[in-house]
Amino acid sequence: MAPQRRGMHDVVVVGAGPVGLATARMLGLRGYDVLVLERQRGPYPLPRAVHFDDEIGRVFQAMGLAEEIRAISEPVPDHYEWRNRAGAALVRIDWSGIGPSGWPTASFFSQPELEQVLAQAVTAMPEVTLRRGAEVVGIEEHDDYVVLSQADGDASRARFVIGCDGANSLVREHLETEMCDLGFFFDWLIIDTIPLDDQQWSPQNWQLCDPARPTTIVSGGPGRRRWEFMRLPAESRETLDTAETAWRLLEPWGRTPENTELERHCVYTFSARWAQRWQRGRLAIAGDAAHLMPPFAGQGMCSGLRDAANLTWKLDRVLRGESEAGLLDTYTVERRTHLQHAITMSVELGRVICVLDEAEATARDARMIAGGADPAVVLPSTALPVLGAGVTVSTMDRAGLRGTLAPQYPVVHEGRSVLLDEVVGRRAALLIGSAGSANMLGATLSSQLSAIDVSPFTIHGGDPADLADHTGQWTEWFAATGMHAVLVRPDRYIFGAVTDAGALGSLLDEYRQCLRLTVQ
């Protein structure tokens, strides 16, 4: 009997973890018919990811979920500290306050609660269908669509397929891409708990760099705590991953069955690897399907959500017929380059933390203490997080802004203080500072902006304007960069910037070329 063929969807997302659900939400908000296929029959009930940064808070904001996410997350009130066995500070990283994207610098959460927010959001959308218990077992590519066959004999068709199906991704397997592996492997026991007492944790998140047993102690989201214990060479995964071992390791921290609920224990192998190709034709991958990294920088899920934001605005243009499919070719090179910063940083932090040799640890401690626990001094330097060459300007980058994330400082709009994206929406934007506002846009340039779906906004220091910089942060930023106007893509990464109106036409022309516009 031939499998049932459902109607043609714009996009099928394989996998209903945070990245898959976020991808579906982003596309649904743009009006596309999205089907999410998840092989598990119900949401996974136990914690995994626990951290997101200010950029990812901004991504949730763009999905219209700011209040829901704030309600289930816990901003970090202080610093992230590493200590040696004697309790001396080795490094102290300020995680307090608001980051440049307008959200707390660091926030912690419980993944089941986050997934519930995302699942409720997508199931409330008429554009998105979430099907659980639907295991994809086959992929059949055609010129104009893809057929996904499922274990129950059903099949679904879509114009594009995005695999957010985890480390063992079937979609990635079908792409036949090579993997780059840094050879970084360490086993850690993850223990998630619910404290039943009112103990205060200060600092809230810290790392014990003790060669006898490197240990991580962090928030697990509101009302939760997480411990991570490195497996020692003489231990097996099996003996480490037991409730008895968990309680034994927690006991020195004052955690007992009388004051703590043991929510989960699991041994994970930390690794660092990524796919060389993330997209081909009508198939793409994102999140753990595209990359894995150690958790020391808290960037695993964050990187997956950056994937979704990068891919969906480009796919939107292709689905609408405004850009050629070649625009999607920029997804891999942009994100793979940017991702390597997060992976390299995570690995380098891990190499500092995962030290079991006493002499090596003593030397490490002495070096970091001598450096005053200043992260700029004592931590390994890594490349800045910049997109690879794609939809970014090839010239006119005197300030080094292209491929970097634009800030989201507050502005006053219609008498109300809001974060920038609340005004800009999901379109590309040309941000014009006070110094460049006079005569920056003429009729010709305004026509160019309209043709490439870019909205202009002037940000002034005080006088009434499109947007008023009541905090002075925008004025300071424009002055520091020396730029008069900055072209920001829909995913809030900077295409390029100019110092005068005379260069703006060339900037817009290059953006138009990068978009690979279809002939109208």
Side-chain angles (χ1 to χ4, degrees):
M1 183 178 185
Q4 176 188 352
R5 305 263 176 191
R6 293 181 176 263
M8 181 74 72
H9 301 278
D10 291 319
V11 180
V12 169
V13 176
V14 183
V19 177
L21 293 171
T23 300
R25 173 75 175 177
M26 292 176 192
L27 290 169
L29 288 171
R30 290 176 167 89
Y32 295 108
D33 176 359
V34 182
L35 173 65
V36 183
L37 299 177
E38 167 57 50
R39 66 185 184 89
Q40 299 293 340
R41 295 192 176 277
Y44 190 74
L46 298 177
R48 283 91 73 215
V50 293
H51 167 267
F52 67 85
D53 57 27
D54 61 306
E55 178 185 354
I56 301 309
R58 186 180 187 177
V59 171
F60 290 133
Q61 173 192 334
M63 288 190 276
L65 300 175
E67 295 310 311
E68 291 87 343
I69 295 299
R70 293 185 193 278
I72 61 144
S73 60
E74 181 177 58
V76 175
D78 49 22
H79 53 273
Y80 172 42
E81 187 170 287
W82 298 7
R83 299 173 181 171
N84 69 359
R85 176 187 292 160
L90 303 181
V91 67
R92 186 178 290 113
I93 304 170
D94 186 6
W95 272 4
S96 65
I98 301 298
S101 283
W103 278 68
T105 302
S107 296
F108 282 77
F109 65 96
S110 174
Q111 185 168 332
E113 293 181 352
L114 173 65
E115 289 187 4
Q116 183 179 21
V117 167
L118 293 172
Q120 288 176 346
V122 300
T123 54
M125 304 177 74
E127 300 86 354
V128 181
T129 301
L130 172 59
R131 292 186 59 208
R132 297 191 183 274
E135 182 180 3
V136 176
V137 295
I139 300 173
E140 182 181 313
E141 296 180 78
H142 298 268
D143 289 342
D144 299 324
Y145 62 94
V146 180
V147 178
L148 298 179
S149 56
Q150 291 143 223
D152 60 4
D154 201 353
S156 302
R157 292 187 295 171
R159 296 166 66 187
F160 289 90
V161 170
I162 304 175
C164 303
D165 46 343
N168 299 314
S169 169
L170 177 69
V171 181
R172 185 188 65 232
E173 180 181 333
H174 199 76
L175 282 176
E176 297 181 337
T177 179
E178 295 181 357
M179 299 295 292
C180 181
D181 197 319
L182 297 186
F184 182 91
F185 297 103
F186 289 95
D187 292 336
W188 284 65
L189 173 65
I190 312 300
I191 304 176
D192 287 295
T193 70
I194 301 177
L196 304 177
D197 55 9
D198 57 358
Q199 179 170 338
Q200 299 300 304
W201 307 90
S202 181
Q204 187 186 73
N205 308 284
W206 65 287
Q207 179 75 47
L208 174 62
C209 298
D210 183 353
R213 173 87 71 180
T215 302
T216 303
I217 310 97
V218 295
S219 167
R224 288 178 164 85
R225 295 294 296 172
R226 168 173 287 184
W227 276 262
E228 301 177 0
F229 298 95
M230 184 175 168
R231 182 177 69 83
L232 303 179
E235 296 173 323
S236 69
R237 290 174 58 97
E238 293 72 24
T239 57
L240 190 63
D241 191 14
T242 67
E244 291 75 16
T245 300
W247 285 120
R248 175 173 57 81
L249 293 174
L250 289 174
E251 187 177 5
W253 302 92
R255 299 291 96 191
T256 69
E258 287 70 37
N259 61 22
T260 303
E261 177 183 335
L262 183 62
E263 190 172 24
R264 181 189 74 140
H265 59 85
C266 184
V267 173
Y268 278 88
T269 299
F270 297 165
S271 60
R273 56 201 304 258
W274 64 86
Q276 293 286 42
R277 182 172 59 201
W278 298 13
Q279 179 273 334
R280 187 199 67 215
R282 296 182 177 274
L283 301 178
I285 53 176
D288 286 356
H291 46 76
L292 295 169
M293 70 186 73
F296 302 115
Q299 289 298 307
M301 186 195 74
C302 294
S303 295
L305 291 173
R306 292 187 187 99
D307 299 343
N310 185 295
L311 177 60
T312 53
W313 79 264
K314 296 172 181 176
L315 186 55
D316 172 38
R317 294 193 59 89
V318 173
L319 285 166
R320 282 192 280 134
E322 296 185 351
S323 292
E324 298 174 353
L327 176 62
L328 300 178
D329 295 339
T330 65
Y331 168 57
T332 293
V333 67
E334 284 189 356
R335 283 295 306 133
R336 189 181 61 199
T337 301
H338 192 279
L339 166 90
Q340 288 175 38
H341 163 264
I343 286 188
T344 300
M345 178 172 60
S346 298
V347 169
E348 291 304 318
L349 295 180
R351 295 193 195 284
V352 176
I353 292 169
C354 299
V355 173
L356 300 180
D357 181 82
E358 290 282 350
E360 183 181 352
T362 298
R364 173 201 64 196
D365 296 356
R367 175 184 63 81
M368 297 180 78
I369 292 171
D374 181 351
V377 175
V378 303
L379 292 182
S381 60
T382 58
L384 294 175
V386 179
L387 296 177
V391 187
T392 53
V393 70
S394 59
T395 57
M396 298 182 292
D397 189 40
R398 195 175 71 189
L401 293 178
R402 68 181 175 197
T404 64
L405 184 68
Q408 187 191 205
Y409 303 129
V411 294
V412 172
H413 177 63
E414 297 180 346
R416 192 167 61 94
S417 175
V418 295
L419 292 173
L420 176 72
D421 295 354
E422 296 299 311
V423 182
V424 171
R426 288 186 289 275
R427 300 175 67 188
L430 182 71
L431 306 180
I432 304 170
S434 295
S437 61
N439 302 317
M440 177 64 82
L441 295 179
T444 301
L445 291 178
S446 296
S447 178
Q448 282 184 274
L449 289 170
S450 178
I452 54 178
D453 201 24
V454 176
S455 300
F457 296 90
T458 58
I459 305 177
H460 287 262
D463 297 332
D466 287 351
L467 305 173
D469 178 26
H470 60 301
T471 68
Q473 291 172 285
W474 283 110
T475 301
E476 182 179 345
W477 184 72
F478 275 107
T481 63
M483 297 295 109
H484 288 184
V486 179
L487 180 53
V488 181
R489 310 179 336 173
D491 62 354
R492 301 301 164 239
Y493 278 79
I494 294 173
F495 173 78
V498 297
T499 57
D500 59 76
L504 184 54
S506 297
L507 183 75
L508 299 181
D509 279 341
E510 188 166 350
Y511 184 61
R512 180 187 182 93
Q513 294 167 15
C514 286
L515 290 179
R516 293 170 172 81
L517 298 184
T518 57
V519 177
Q520 300 297 317

